[in-house]
């Protein structure tokens, strides 16, 4: 039988329909690729595309991606706007330099990273130019009515920079953490070391909410709080405070939690805000009947233990989220030798595989001397380094780790299933909610190139990732069916 067509009609649509009907995956599809090598010789470089073909590929190293299996929704990636970072950005950059840097970090136009998660310190941290709280009394006497409360210390740098970040990205989520309660609330009567006195649990809770309200009035909404940064550590030369699980449970369960519940408009409470090596600490708070209902998530730091600790805590309390809220780059082992692939592996890839909805590096910016700082770490590194003499910007490993995630994985994306390969190759995959695009992040920590196959939807692409490098792959899952 011969098919006949009216001569005025083109046969191409019919032929295309037949082709799609009988060979829906016969068309190759380009996969966009960006690569950064550990030596930054290739830095977020748009590389030759990979290409999906029908089939399952032949490489021994396989990453099988299943878009139908979806996990946590992503809040975002970013770094902390410490006092030091804010001071450098506000006072060591001129207006054009400042605008350009913040647009690069928080914008999405052009090559912007689109950072959508950040953290502020409530009072001083080690990355402040001096030590202070927001309620330091002239004579050091108690002020339970908080008559001396003030955020004036932050008006010259933190507040204007935070507002500028939000102006560029209004979806930016900002959390906040205290390094210490005011000295008069503690058994040391000092910002340095000590414990929070139980008679001031109520005043400290009001202090935290007073901060939230004061920042909201300045146009900087705080979406989440932790009650103490690193509560299992008492540093000797910068503000800190020991607040163990029973104390946090009482503070949250009897005071701060009910106060926030009565307000009805947040902020959320994240517990722990410390290392992976003591999961019993957040488990202790979540196991407390009074505290548990008020805790939304567990916040983790990277300086002890292994990121896999996040999963047992999440499994025990699956209604509680996880966040990676601090990890610094710097000049120490294994960060020095591990470099970019290590930062990408632990803070971006593995934290997400272990349920993190967001990941934060520590200082957003430091100067050429790793400061300014007032005690604590003198070898920490910012996401960017600002030359305090010229305003010149240097982008660090942490910058590129964030860029490979945040520029392509947008707020509201979901992590999706992807198999692990081993052999120094780590990966995680996401589906963006706005356009359905899929994003695969891969880190190669090996000193040799690694060739792997990625499969999704009955097709596969092969790719060879350079030694000690990270890559982002982006595609739309339906494109091959409509090529």
């Amino acid at each position: 039988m011969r098919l006949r067509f009216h001569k005025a009609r083109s046969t191409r649509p019919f032929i295309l329909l037949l082709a799609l009907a009988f060979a829906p995956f016969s068309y190759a599809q380009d996969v966009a690729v960006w690569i950064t090598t550990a030596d930054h010789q290739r830095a977020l470089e748009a590389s030759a595309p990979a290409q999906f073909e029908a089939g399952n590929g032949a490489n021994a190293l396989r990453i099988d991606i299943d878009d139908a299996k979806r996990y946590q929704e992503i809040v975002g990636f970013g770094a902390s706007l410490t006092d030091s970072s804010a001071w450098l950005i506000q006072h060591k950059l001129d207006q054009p330099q400042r605008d350009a840097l913040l647009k690069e970090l928080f914008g999405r136009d052009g090559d912007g990273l689109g950072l959508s998660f950040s953290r502020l310190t409530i009072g001083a941290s080690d990355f402040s130019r001096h030590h202070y709280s927001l309620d330091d009394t002239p004579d050091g006497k108690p002020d339970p009515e908080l008559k001396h409360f003030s955020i004036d210390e932050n008006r010259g740098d933190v507040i204007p920079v935070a507002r500028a970040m939000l102006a560029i990205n209004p979806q930016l989520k900002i959390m906040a953490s205290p390094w210490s309660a005011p000295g008069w609330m503690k058994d040391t009567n000092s910002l340095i070391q000590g414990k929070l006195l139980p008679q001031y649990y109520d005043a400290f809770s009001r202090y935290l909410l007073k901060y939230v309200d004061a920042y909201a009035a300045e146009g900087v909404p705080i979406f989440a709080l932790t009650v103490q940064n690193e509560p299992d550590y008492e540093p000797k030369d910068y503000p800190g405070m020991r607040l163990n699980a029973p104390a946090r449970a009482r503070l949250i369960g009897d005071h701060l939690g009910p106060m926030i519940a009565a307000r009805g408009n947040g902020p959320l409470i994240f517990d722990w805000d410390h290392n992976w090596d003591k999961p019993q600490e957040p488990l202790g708070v979540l196991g407390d009947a009074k505290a548990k209902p008020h805790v939304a998530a567990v916040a983790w730091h990277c300086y002890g233990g292994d990121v896999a600790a996040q999963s047992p805590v999440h499994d025990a309390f699956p209604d509680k989220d996880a966040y990676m809220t601090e990890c610094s780059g710097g000049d120490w082992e294994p960060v020095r030798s591990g470099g970019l692939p290590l930062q990408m592996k632990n803070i971006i890839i593995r934290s997400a595989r272990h349920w993190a909805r967001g990941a934060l590096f520590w200082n957003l910016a430091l100067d050429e001397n790793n400061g300014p700082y007032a005690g604590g770490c003198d070898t920490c590194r910012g996401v960017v380094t600002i030359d305090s003499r010229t305003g010149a910007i240097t982008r660090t490993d942490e910058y590129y780790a964030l860029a490979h995630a945040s520029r392509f994985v947008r707020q509201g994306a979901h992590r999706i299933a992807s198999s692990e390969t081993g052999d120094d190759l780590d990966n995680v995959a996401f589906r963006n909610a706005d356009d359905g695009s899929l994003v695969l992040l891969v880190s190669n920590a090996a000193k040799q190139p690694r060739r792997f196959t990625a499969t999704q939807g009955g097709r596969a692409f092969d790719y060879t990732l350079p030694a000690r490098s990270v890559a982002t792959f982006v595609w739309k899952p339906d494109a091959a069916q409509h090529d």
Side-chain angles (χ1 to χ4, degrees), residues 289-302:
K290 283 189 173 182
K292 177 188 173 184
H294 301 293
V295 176
V298 175
W300 299 94
H301 294 187
C302 74

Side-chain angles (χ1 to χ4, degrees), residues 208-350:
L208 296 176
L209 294 181
K210 204 169 179 69
Y211 167 86
V212 170
D213 291 341
Y215 263 68
E218 297 292 335
V220 182
I222 303 299
F223 100 105
L225 290 173
T226 62
V227 297
Q228 175 60 35
N229 172 74
E230 300 189 344
D232 195 50
Y233 178 51
E234 293 177 73
K236 296 181 180 179
D237 59 355
Y238 65 91
M241 185 170 73
R242 191 172 296 276
L243 200 66
N244 63 16
R248 296 197 311 279
R250 295 285 59 76
L251 177 66
I252 294 169
D254 295 339
H255 300 276
L256 182 61
M259 286 181 191
I260 292 176
R263 290 159 61 100
N265 61 347
L268 301 176
I269 299 174
F270 295 172
D271 185 49
W272 190 218
D273 212 11
H274 208 168
N275 294 334
W276 295 315
D277 57 356
K278 292 190 176 180
Q280 68 273 16
E281 277 280 326
L283 287 171
V285 173
L286 293 176
D288 183 271
K290 283 189 173 182
K292 177 188 173 184
H294 301 293
V295 176
V298 175
W300 299 94
H301 294 187
C302 74
Y303 309 114
D306 187 85
V307 63
Q310 295 175 185
S311 281
V313 176
H314 177 270
D315 292 345
F317 296 94
D319 60 327
K320 306 303 180 183
D321 294 326
Y323 288 84
M324 160 53 60
T325 55
E326 185 185 314
C327 192
S328 183
D331 189 21
W332 61 83
E333 293 296 341
V335 175
R336 180 193 298 177
S337 60
L340 173 61
L342 177 71
Q343 298 292 62
M344 190 72 176
K345 170 185 174 179
N346 278 339
I347 312 310
I348 304 297
I349 292 174
R350 293 190 69 214

Side-chain angles (χ1 to χ4, degrees), residues 12 66 80 101 128 134 245 425:
R12 290 187 64 196
D66 186 353
S80 293
L101 176 61
S128 300
L134 304 183
L425 207 64

Side-chain angles (χ1 to χ4, degrees), residues 56-63 450-454 461-464:
N56 293 315
N59 289 299
L61 296 178
R62 291 168 53 91
I63 301 172
R450 285 283 185 263
R451 186 165 182 82
F452 67 92
T453 293
F461 70 79
D462 295 335
Y463 203 84
T464 300

Side-chain angles (χ1 to χ4, degrees), residues 123-181:
S125 72
D126 43 333
F127 285 93
S128 300
R129 291 182 300 137
H130 65 277
H131 298 161
Y132 68 94
S133 82
L134 304 183
D135 198 308
D136 293 327
T137 56
D139 52 8
K141 291 183 179 179
D143 179 28
E145 295 182 2
L146 305 179
K147 293 179 179 179
H148 292 278
F149 180 92
S150 173
I151 59 170
D152 286 348
E153 285 275 1
N154 302 152
R155 294 190 186 279
D157 40 44
V158 176
I159 290 170
V161 176
R163 279 199 300 236
M165 290 158 46
L166 284 159
I168 295 167
N169 182 1
Q171 282 71 53
L172 178 68
K173 296 290 188 182
I174 299 176
M175 63 171 289
S177 307
W179 263 238
S180 174

